[in-house]
Amino acid sequence: MTTTLQPRWLDADQQRIWRSFLNGVARINERLEAELRCFGLDLGEYEILVHLSESPDRSLRMSDLADRVRQSRSRLTHTVARMETKGLVARMACPSDRRGVIALMTNQGHDLLVEAAPAHVESVRRALVDPVSPEDFAALGRAMDAVTAVQD
Amino acid sequence: MTTTLQPRWLDADQQRIWRSFLNGVARINERLEAELRCFGLDLGEYEILVHLSESPDRSLRMSDLADRVRQSRSRLTHTVARMETKGLVARMACPSDRRGVIALMTNQGHDLLVEAAPAHVESVRRALVDPVSPEDFAALGRAMDAVTAVQD
DNA sequence: ACAATGTTGTTGAACTGTAAACTTCTTTGC
DNA sequence: GCAAAGAAGTTTACAGTTCAACAACATTGT
């Protein structure tokens, strides 16, 4: 049985909160994207740079990187190809697995991240951290962890 | 002055919560999209149907609808055009403003919404409402309302 | 009355994302 | 050792989004 016979509808409060969630997430995304556009980046590209910068040798296997930034492998291939033409990342063969490809951040990519990061953090604060009370912010973290803990 | 000289970095907890947020939102979206795909819809189309169904005469001005579903006008034009070829919505001239176009839901669109809604609600529950405690869920609502209340 | 300005919605091109097929290589199990 | 199965990345074709330009109409201020 894949569907319940009697749908468990959301009550008025739950529905209101669900819509607040949709609206809030959209607003946050808009602001972060708008801010990063000044640096010629979008959020997906920014996250790629962040994860590379935090990894040894500023490099990661493509599939590993894809998991961390929650992009499909296909999408990551396209995105990294574009970033490569911009000079932000480079690709090299993986020595231990000949199927593998290693993405690595260039100095230019690192410079751009260093340049964009303060403004990005500032927009995360303005869009989310500052307007929300510390208690509710902590609850938000617990809620999202619970969401992520659900197995498919 | 557009940038602060000393960026107010996020502390470890804030950073962890911010990343939980990005992960959680991505998971929720994945699940809702996957579920709606069974009905040939994506979340954007589903929301269009919802907002039309809640409006008088199941109809809304295009720009009004665009605001409610948080889509650009251009995007809405394209999306509604596609939905029109699927027979889910129709468009008619607005009597009071000759620039205007009114989008309205067809019976077929309404039938599809009625068919998809129970499964959609169920996936909202499974992805978010059920795994989160009522207190944290309420806090999530307050947090997102605070986010939306920030003026640009 | 009417020019200037703003709003509405669409268009087409360029760009980005998705899905499936495919190549190459590795791993597994006989 | 070898076939089968699986994994990594890319490619191609296509679907969807964004952006800038535009046409049509409404509103404003004089």
Side-chain angles (χ1 to χ4, degrees):
Chain A
M1 185 170 85
T2 54
T3 58
T4 50
L5 295 174
Q6 295 199 300
R8 297 182 298 142
W9 299 112
L10 302 183
D11 66 33
D13 271 2
Q14 290 172 327
Q15 189 148 147
R16 206 179 30 70
I17 292 172
W18 169 239
R19 295 198 179 189
S20 293
F21 178 75
L22 290 175
N23 286 322
V25 168
R27 291 291 285 275
I28 291 169
N29 266 326
E30 274 170 26
R31 284 162 197 187
L32 300 192
E33 296 282 3
E35 213 281 335
L36 284 171
R37 200 169 311 129
C38 308
F39 300 94
L41 291 171
D42 63 22
L43 196 50
E45 294 169 324
Y46 183 84
E47 287 198 320
I48 288 171
L49 293 179
V50 167
H51 283 274
L52 289 177
S53 79
E54 291 175 350
S55 298
D57 302 319
R58 293 178 184 166
S59 68
L60 280 173
R61 285 283 296 265
M62 287 292 281
S63 55
D64 195 353
L65 181 54
D67 291 343
R68 298 194 197 205
V69 300
R70 304 171 308 274
Q71 292 190 16
S72 70
R73 290 168 187 207
S74 175
R75 179 177 170 186
L76 185 66
T77 295
H78 289 300
T79 306
V80 165
R82 262 178 270 131
M83 294 175 78
E84 206 169 13
T85 70
K86 293 196 220 169
L88 303 177
V89 297
R91 277 183 288 194
M92 54 176 276
C94 176
S96 59
D97 182 342
R98 292 205 292 167
R99 295 169 303 182
V101 172
I102 291 176
L104 62 137
M105 189 165 46
T106 61
N107 287 334
Q108 190 185 335
H110 188 255
D111 291 347
L112 181 57
L113 180 61
V114 167
E115 189 191 346
H120 178 71
V121 172
E122 197 55 39
S123 51
V124 172
R125 283 195 172 280
R126 261 204 298 271
L128 177 64
V129 180
D130 288 346
V132 174
S133 75
E135 296 77 25
D136 287 351
F137 188 64
L140 175 68
R142 287 193 300 274
M144 292 298 108
D145 285 342
V147 163
T148 304
V150 175
Q151 76 285 17
D152 300 278
Chain B
M1 187 170 81
T2 54
T3 60
T4 50
L5 295 174
Q6 296 199 299
R8 298 182 299 144
W9 299 112
L10 301 183
D11 66 33
D13 271 2
Q14 290 172 327
Q15 189 150 143
R16 206 179 31 67
I17 292 172
W18 169 240
R19 294 196 180 190
S20 294
F21 178 75
L22 291 174
N23 286 323
V25 168
R27 291 291 286 275
I28 291 169
N29 265 325
E30 274 169 26
R31 284 164 196 187
L32 299 192
E33 295 283 3
E35 214 282 337
L36 285 171
R37 200 168 313 130
C38 309
F39 300 94
L41 291 171
D42 63 23
L43 196 49
E45 294 169 326
Y46 182 85
E47 287 198 320
I48 288 171
L49 293 180
V50 167
H51 283 273
L52 289 177
S53 80
E54 291 174 350
S55 298
D57 302 320
R58 292 176 184 169
S59 68
L60 280 173
R61 285 283 295 265
M62 288 292 281
S63 57
D64 195 354
L65 181 55
D67 291 344
R68 298 194 196 205
V69 299
R70 303 170 308 275
Q71 293 190 16
S72 71
R73 289 167 187 209
S74 175
R75 179 177 171 186
L76 186 66
T77 294
H78 288 300
T79 306
V80 164
R82 262 178 272 129
M83 293 175 78
E84 205 169 14
T85 70
K86 293 196 221 169
L88 303 177
V89 298
R91 277 184 286 195
M92 54 176 276
C94 175
S96 60
D97 183 343
R98 292 204 295 165
R99 295 168 303 181
V101 172
I102 291 176
L104 63 136
M105 188 163 50
T106 62
N107 288 334
Q108 189 185 335
H110 189 256
D111 291 348
L112 181 57
L113 180 61
V114 167
E115 188 191 347
H120 177 70
V121 172
E122 197 55 39
S123 50
V124 172
R125 283 194 172 280
R126 262 203 298 271
L128 176 64
V129 180
D130 288 346
V132 173
S133 76
E135 297 76 25
D136 287 351
F137 188 65
L140 174 69
R142 286 193 300 274
M144 292 298 107
D145 285 342
V147 163
T148 303
V150 175
Q151 76 285 21
D152 299 277

